[in-house]
Amino acid sequence: MSEALGAPFSAVDPAQVVLPQILAVEQLGGIHCSWAQVDDPSVRSWFTVLPASAGSEQELNQVSCYGPCAFGTASNGLWLAGVVYPSAAEDESSSAVAALTSAFASSAARQPAPVPPGAVPGRWAGAVDCAALSDAAGLPAALGDPQLHVDRGDYPGEAGPGAYAAAKAAGVTNCWWSSDEPATRGPLDFAVQLLPAGGWVRARIEALPGAQSISVPGADAAFVVATSSEWRDSEVLHVFAGGNWMTVQSSSTAVSLEDVLPAVPPLLSALARG
């Protein structure tokens, strides 16, 4: 990797990232990795390997350089998608892309062709419409907030094209509810992510330090996990039902998980009805 990127790079240890939009890559049988330049860790490159079926024809083989290069290359049913940032010695990373593309083709030829994941009974529908889900669950009434409205949430800006494609292919949905006016319990602000057939993640959540099991009507299991970032500390609720996975997280320090827990059972019921 260092030879291709033109400077010493080291693999970044994957943090305990347990979000549907990231673990969708694993669900499709892929891997998501990043490398940081040893002399300047702020210079990073992201790579995702997925079955080629996860990408569009345009994404599979393309290069777009603007200093960094976003690229994709497909070989033997596998797809390498990445974002390469140039080292200090280069103006752009096109030479690194050429080296990585060649190395990937050689490696992919020695790998077995990927096997598509099988069907999972009880799998939630993918690409759920957030407004339709909110209406089906009756969330304004369930939370006592007639001003509550919903928007589709964004994915992380630095995940790279492969991670976005995996989230889409796996049916990840990201919805964000908020209220404009104070309601009985104060204005609400929370996000929900869904990964259909993501029940396999349960063992990983249970093993997280401090994971606390709680009872949620309609769920097979639910866990509260404390998280910490440079912006704020918060808690994430992980809910498993029918072989699927939902996360619920407050988007504001003024809103606790207890404030939004009444939303979870009607959401599970609406998702099960399809």
Side-chain angles (χ1 to χ4, degrees):
M1 189 62 66
S2 296
E3 183 178 353
L5 296 177
F9 274 74
S10 62
V12 177
D13 258 347
Q16 293 278 18
V17 178
V18 283
L19 293 175
Q21 59 198 20
I22 299 300
L23 293 189
V25 173
E26 285 189 44
Q27 181 155 310
L28 296 178
I31 56 174
H32 182 67
C33 307
S34 64
W35 277 261
Q37 188 171 315
V38 173
D39 297 333
D40 183 1
S42 66
V43 178
R44 291 197 178 190
S45 296
W46 290 265
F47 303 93
T48 306
V49 179
L50 290 164
S53 57
S56 67
E57 197 65 37
Q58 181 180 2
E59 291 172 317
L60 291 182
N61 292 286
Q62 56 91 25
V63 180
S64 175
C65 293
Y66 44 94
C69 293
F71 74 100
T73 181
S75 181
N76 192 31
L78 296 170
W79 172 38
L80 170 66
V83 178
V84 177
Y85 277 75
S87 67
E90 294 183 280
D91 292 330
E92 64 174 40
S93 300
S94 53
S95 60
V97 170
L100 291 167
T101 298
S102 175
F104 178 74
S106 175
S107 177
R110 301 191 297 270
Q111 307 302 319
V115 178
V120 176
R123 183 188 188 276
W124 292 336
V128 174
D129 179 87
C130 295
L133 176 61
S134 188
D135 289 343
L139 285 201
L143 292 169
D145 188 347
Q147 303 296 327
L148 190 69
H149 58 88
V150 64
D151 294 292
R152 193 169 183 88
D154 294 326
Y155 295 126
E158 299 276 26
Y164 302 134
K168 181 178 180 181
V172 171
T173 297
N174 189 354
C175 300
W176 169 48
W177 279 267
S178 59
S179 53
D180 296 325
E181 301 292 337
T184 305
R185 58 171 59 84
L188 292 171
D189 193 351
F190 65 98
V192 169
Q193 284 188 25
L194 311 172
L195 178 58
W200 61 273
V201 181
R202 176 177 171 176
R204 189 173 300 187
I205 301 299
E206 286 182 287
L208 291 176
Q212 177 186 356
S213 176
I214 67 170
S215 177
V216 173
D220 301 325
F223 306 90
V224 176
V225 179
T227 66
S228 181
S229 72
E230 58 184 298
W231 295 286
R232 66 186 180 94
D233 297 334
S234 62
E235 291 181 323
V236 180
L237 174 64
H238 299 267
V239 183
F240 298 93
N244 304 284
W245 177 30
M246 169 196 292
T247 66
V248 183
Q249 185 172 18
S250 161
S251 303
S252 166
T253 55
V255 180
S256 68
L257 275 181
E258 287 74 15
D259 293 329
V260 298
L261 268 177
V264 177
L267 281 173
L268 293 176
S269 179
L271 288 163
R273 293 194 303 268

